Amino acid sequence: MRRISIFIFLFLNILIFNSCKEDIDESNLYTFTGETIEDYLENRSEQFSSFNYILKRINYDKILSAYGTYTCFAPDNEAVQAYIDSLYDDTTNKELPHNGMTSRSLDGLTDSLCEDIALFHLLGTEVMSVYMGNGMTVKTMLGREITTSFDSISKTVAINRDAKILKEGLDVDLENGVLHEISHVITRSNQLVAGEMEAHSDYSIFSTALKATGLADTLTETSHTFGKIEKSYDFYVPEKCEVGYTVFAETDDVLKAHGIVDVETMAAYADSVYANCQEWYDYVRNNNIPISRGKDYKNPWNVLSMFLRYHVLKYKIPYDKLTNHHNEITKVTLVEYYETMLPYTLVKVTKNNSKLRLNRWEANSSLTNQVAELGTKDMHTVLFEGVELVGQKNQISPTNGYIHPIKDMLVYNKDVPRGALNERMRFDDTVLFGEMMSNSFRRISDAEVKALNGGKSGNFSAAQLSGDYICIPPGFFQNMRVYNGASTLVLYLPGQSSGWSNYQGDELMGEGNYDFAMRLPPVPDGTYELRMGYTAEAKRGMMQIYMGTSSELSSMKAVDIPLDMRIISANNANGTPDVYTGWCLWTLLDDKGVESDANMRNLGYMRGPLYYTVGVGSGNYARNNPKDLRRIIYKGKLDQGEHWLRFKTVINDASAQFHLDYIELCPENVYNSTTYVEDMY
């Protein structure tokens, strides 16, 4: 049965490959030997004895002999020796000569090096090359990520750029997983962000500026501590919370094109942008923060420090996850918003024509002059194309983050808050909590969660929840505060293959007599509608929502009436509006739901957006689903600063669910435009 299923799987994936622009050689995609991964290596000792020796040093030969599902990237003996030579000859680490090796041989490897090498070449799930060829980031059993891409020269998959999957050793199907023979040991950096950047000569100016501002010493965090969960119901509970950084960096060539050749000229450029930033940087103006234009570069409000801080996110995101492709419809553009280390600022990432750009600005974004369409092209003039990222093959992967080269200067000038961010902003639950991305939970599969959980699935029968979910301990998210840790259970449901009616497929769930708060993304000063996207279900609960300027209970004030998430809109076949939410099937209405949308808003509700479908490729829009709703939580002024939402159950039912799919922050000039209307997407 395994061989039959593999043949079906292979046939379907060859069809996928034929639709790609670049194809991996398919002449030897499938090999079946009846062996385990360890058998395969042992039976080919003339080729893999060195790698197998490393596995045996940490007793992983026994694991790869047993039942399970793994992916093994196996370098041959020559590749292992070349890597040993590189480690022994490495002179960069003065405190640990030869990287701790005692000799230029397998025996000279330390146990920790053996563990690092072995686990960096193993995955806890099975991944075939057809998926890797289109570019993906996967977490190894070491806990570090590797990135794959298609190598146009060798016509095969490249892993972290240097290791290539050999055509003759592609997708070797074994009893407990799949093995890929590779040309080199997969290299990994043990440097932190600033150290790794310093090692690349084409970032010499940026790297020197990081040191001058003290940021090089700041970007060193790798993890933080958190509390314990009293009862997890066998759901996966992370044992470690990784943190890190993502840096968008101009290379020396880009900087020199703008007259920047050293720290002083970079500071002069930064001065031309930030010296008078009080005019548009609302947080600075509201708090009367003095901007330094001198050489006190370590002052966080020095113009040079401000320039660099806007390039850094305090969580690590690989190139292929900066935008999330899941269940969106084809006509829309992928967009995400991330908070930077320049206080209370956002950078916008857009995927347009297969390219990622920062702070792309389109006129009348989120508005339309056509019912149920995005609008005519002439009303959406591109006012700024955005700063383009170079590409996935050029990203650098230090141990605590990612460095992404960019093709132009990235700044927080007036066009960002007044232009690029002056639109409806939708934040998926994973983006609200940076630890989701730093710990590779975003877009994680059920199989990966199960592998992390030792092969078992969780089950909370009282709440009718079972599956491969992640149980979030208190304190794991720095943007969340749980007030009653013993009574609040927070679960993340990845949903990548579940077909749920969720933006990007996933959802955040609260269980028990929950009482917790989450920090909102910062926005420029203005009047906004704050909306919460969720799906109604009979097993949901009822909660009171509060807002405050901190997570302290004393700052929280109730907003709106309690939200009953159990109310499911009646799906009347004749288009009659539901009495509670005003929902009805908009496709039955002559005006495509325009008047009905207004009536729903009067009741504090909106339909789900046209942006995504229920499941992947279903053709059934979220706007068509009576369970898919947006609740308008708040309408009023927000300043650029700290804002928190508190969710507290108002019913005594430990099985009642809290549900969050996404948050929307929509400025008044969009939801209340006098010229156009907010689009349905």
Side-chain angles (χ1 to χ4, degrees), residues 474-539:
F476 191 87
F477 293 154
Q478 292 186 327
N479 281 351
M480 178 182 287
R481 179 172 178 182
V482 177
Y483 298 108
N484 56 349
S487 301
T488 299
L489 182 70
V490 179
L491 293 172
Y492 174 61
L493 286 57
Q496 296 304 290
S497 57
S498 299
W500 295 327
S501 184
N502 287 332
Y503 174 57
Q504 299 187 4
D506 56 1
E507 59 188 44
L508 197 71
M509 193 80 74
E511 296 289 343
N513 293 310
Y514 56 82
D515 187 3
F516 66 97
M518 53 167 276
R519 181 175 174 271
L520 287 172
V523 290
D525 283 8
T527 300
Y528 291 86
E529 266 190 358
L530 170 60
R531 307 159 181 169
M532 173 181 169
Y534 70 98
T535 52
E537 293 285 357
K539 54 192 174 184

Side-chain angles (χ1 to χ4, degrees), residues 118-151:
L119 299 188
F120 201 54
H121 288 72
L122 297 174
L123 311 179
T125 56
E126 187 175 88
V127 180
M128 308 297 279
S129 61
V130 285
Y131 294 123
M132 293 188 283
N134 285 331
M136 66 186 303
T137 301
V138 289
K139 198 165 190 175
T140 67
M141 294 179 70
L142 182 62
R144 298 273 304 273
E145 291 177 328
I146 57 173
T147 300
T148 72
S149 59
F150 182 83
D151 184 75

Side-chain angles (χ1 to χ4, degrees), residues 371-373 571-572 575 583-594 596-597 600 607-610 620-625 680-681:
V371 177
E373 291 293 339
N571 191 0
N572 299 319
W583 192 97
C584 59
L585 188 57
W586 65 283
T587 56
L588 300 177
L589 307 175
D590 292 338
D591 66 351
K592 298 186 179 181
V594 172
S596 175
D597 283 344
M600 286 188 69
R607 291 179 171 87
L610 271 174
N620 182 24
Y621 303 113
R623 182 172 165 83
N624 299 15
N625 182 15
M680 297 176 178
Y681 294 83

Side-chain angles (χ1 to χ4, degrees), residues 337 348 360-370 373-384 418-424 666-667 669-671 673-681:
Y337 309 89
K348 173 183 173 183
R360 180 180 169 86
W361 177 17
E362 186 179 272
N364 300 312
S365 181
S366 310
L367 293 167
T368 184
N369 57 2
Q370 296 174 308
E373 291 293 339
L374 289 169
T376 57
K377 187 175 181 179
D378 61 316
M379 70 169 292
H380 290 146
T381 305
V382 176
L383 302 175
F384 177 54
R418 307 294 182 250
L421 301 179
N422 191 17
E423 60 187 10
R424 176 189 59 231
C666 185
N669 65 288
V670 173
Y671 72 78
S673 172
T674 57
T675 307
Y676 303 111
V677 294
E678 182 181 350
D679 66 47
M680 297 176 178
Y681 294 83

Side-chain angles (χ1 to χ4, degrees), residues 67-88:
Y67 175 79
T69 305
Y70 306 98
T71 298
C72 175
F73 299 100
D76 63 18
N77 295 340
E78 184 179 346
V80 172
Q81 186 58 51
Y83 186 64
I84 286 174
D85 291 341
S86 70
L87 288 176
Y88 194 80

Side-chain angles (χ1 to χ4, degrees), residues 424 426 503 606-613 621-624 628-630 662 664 680-681:
R424 176 189 59 231
R426 185 176 296 146
Y503 174 57
M606 294 176 66
R607 291 179 171 87
L610 271 174
Y611 182 95
Y612 63 92
T613 60
Y621 303 113
R623 182 172 165 83
N624 299 15
D628 210 307
L629 295 168
R630 284 176 278 183
Y662 56 89
E664 286 183 354
M680 297 176 178
Y681 294 83

Side-chain angles (χ1 to χ4, degrees), residues 82 132 158 258 349 390 659:
M132 293 188 283
H258 290 268
V349 182
V390 175
H659 181 268

